Amino acid sequence: MLKAALLRFALFWGIWILVPIAIDGISAIAYLWASLTHAELATGDSGVKRPAILATILIPVYNAERSLYRCIESLASQTYPHSAMEIICMGNAVTDNSIREFTRAQARFGSLNAMWVSLSQRGKARALNAGVLLSKGTVVINIDADTRLGPNAVERMVAAFEDDPDLGAASGSIHVDLLPPGAPWWWRLLNACEILEYLAAFRIGRRFQSRQNAVFTLSGAFSAFRRSVVLSTHLYDDKTVSEDTNLTFDIRNVEGGRWRIACIQGAEAFVEPTLSLSKLMSQRLRWQRGQLEVASLYPRYWRTNPISALTHFTSRILLGDHTLSFPRLAWTFIIPYLYLLGYSLPLVAAALWLTYFMYVIVEFLFLLSIRKALWAAYRMPIGNWWHLSLVMPVYRSLIYWFRLAGMIYALCEPASWSAENEIERVKKEAYRLWSRLRRTTERAVARRGGAV
């Protein structure tokens, strides 16, 4: 009896308490150790001054009248010589006043060598490919129209390529802008969680990946290439919803994999915060779906025996992001059955609270890592955000369900992406199914001569 009771106790508490530590806690400890023991990597600030080489900056534009001027303004504020930058805005079948904002910026910042190219067909991959083919720079930099660069981002990105002859492509360090103080509290809370997520991903996670040459994807918001290297690939492809990840893997195949891919910590870019759950859901569905679609195009990285698979970073990332998601799904649906299996309701509730508490500890470790890796401008605000360790477990749980939906979409839908508001899309689909069921029921009742 005692042995059976101990076994039940170990299984119960092991699943609900130790699993969060095993999966997320190990990552948090690894991040903290990396931030405490490793120096900054690839900042692009070697201190060596060289003649400025030509850098082409590509901005794909689709209905970006609200943000395009600010994006170009950030280019005008660069420490890199304006004479060594060419800026190409690819109008991606725009239907708003984006070209008016471009013209306004062009008139305001006359020292910039900026041009507008109109494309009749919509598609970010097409726009970027057109820009790459038109570019003349040794280094080609892509930024989104809703992104603003830090003042020395271009200088440090170009310097990184000059300092490392084996660097073929690089991602910038992406951060989320702070909302103004007067914003509603729920927006500021979502904004704070998103900021911490990006800080952990780019200031610690991508730094660790760069050391191992294991960057999974170049950021679409801000990335750069040697022009000769990107022209040796198939360029951007719309066969997946994540053309940036697909190009990252393509670059790894160029010249037998000689080119290194890294994240340049000193080259910073700031993206607009996500202000609704609908946009957040749409974004994360696309990311997760794109990850699986691209991985399916390169099966040699993961279709091998289990031991060999763990030696390649692609398999390790898929294991953490994909395979280990399904046990979490199982735990969610097991919860209601624990009571039916004979566990008391207070015990089940206590286990859930203790699981949450363990996740709070994990998030606190992540916050310690972030604080150590932060640059000066963020150090003080983050110092006042320790209470977010209580909120981040809920935020990450929400992101988990969005990513899980992305996995399902990758299995069930063709490789296209058009949803801007995924929650509204789900509502419309549910309404369509309900209307169809209603009509079917009405016809069946009518045939029987009754009423609904």
Side-chain angles (χ1 to χ4, degrees), residues 96-249:
D96 67 349
N97 293 315
S98 295
I99 191 169
R100 182 192 66 187
E101 293 302 301
F102 169 80
T103 304
R104 184 165 73 95
Q106 191 179 42
R108 173 67 176 81
F109 310 112
S111 61
L112 291 177
N113 175 21
M115 61 183 290
W116 177 279
V117 178
S118 293
L119 303 174
S120 58
Q121 288 186 311
R122 182 179 172 185
K124 185 178 180 181
R126 289 190 183 94
L128 287 170
N129 288 340
V132 170
L133 296 175
L134 289 170
S135 67
K136 299 177 182 177
T138 303
V139 175
V140 178
I141 299 173
N142 302 338
I143 62 173
D144 284 345
D146 59 354
T147 300
R148 66 177 181 88
L149 297 184
N152 52 12
V154 173
E155 180 181 4
R156 290 188 172 181
M157 184 64 81
V158 173
F161 282 92
E162 292 185 296
D163 292 338
D164 186 353
D166 294 324
L167 184 64
S171 173
S173 186
I174 313 300
H175 308 289
V176 179
D177 266 333
L178 284 165
L179 280 175
W185 68 267
W186 57 90
W187 283 8
R188 287 187 282 110
L189 186 61
L190 179 62
N191 179 221
C193 292
E194 195 175 20
I195 286 174
L196 293 180
E197 181 187 22
Y198 272 67
L199 287 172
F202 283 91
R203 299 296 290 189
I204 304 174
R206 294 289 179 91
R207 182 175 64 176
F208 183 75
Q209 292 175 8
S210 294
R211 290 183 175 278
Q212 299 181 320
N213 192 22
V215 173
F216 192 91
T217 183
L218 293 162
S219 172
F222 178 30
S223 56
F225 315 86
R226 291 189 190 273
R227 186 173 185 272
S228 59
V229 173
V230 74
L231 287 177
S232 300
T233 69
H234 298 94
L235 299 183
Y236 287 94
D237 198 320
D238 58 3
K239 68 177 65 172
T240 79
V241 299
S242 184
E243 66 280 343
D244 308 303
T245 305
N246 191 29
L247 182 59
T248 307
F249 275 68

Side-chain angles (χ1 to χ4, degrees), residues 12 17 22 29-30 34 44 92 109 111 119 132 134 191 205 207 237 266 341 348 402 416 425 449:
F12 183 85
I17 304 301
I29 293 172
N92 192 8
F109 310 112
S111 61
L119 303 174
V132 170
L134 289 170
N191 179 221
R207 182 175 64 176
D237 198 320
L341 292 176
V348 174
F402 291 166
S416 62
R425 182 177 182 272

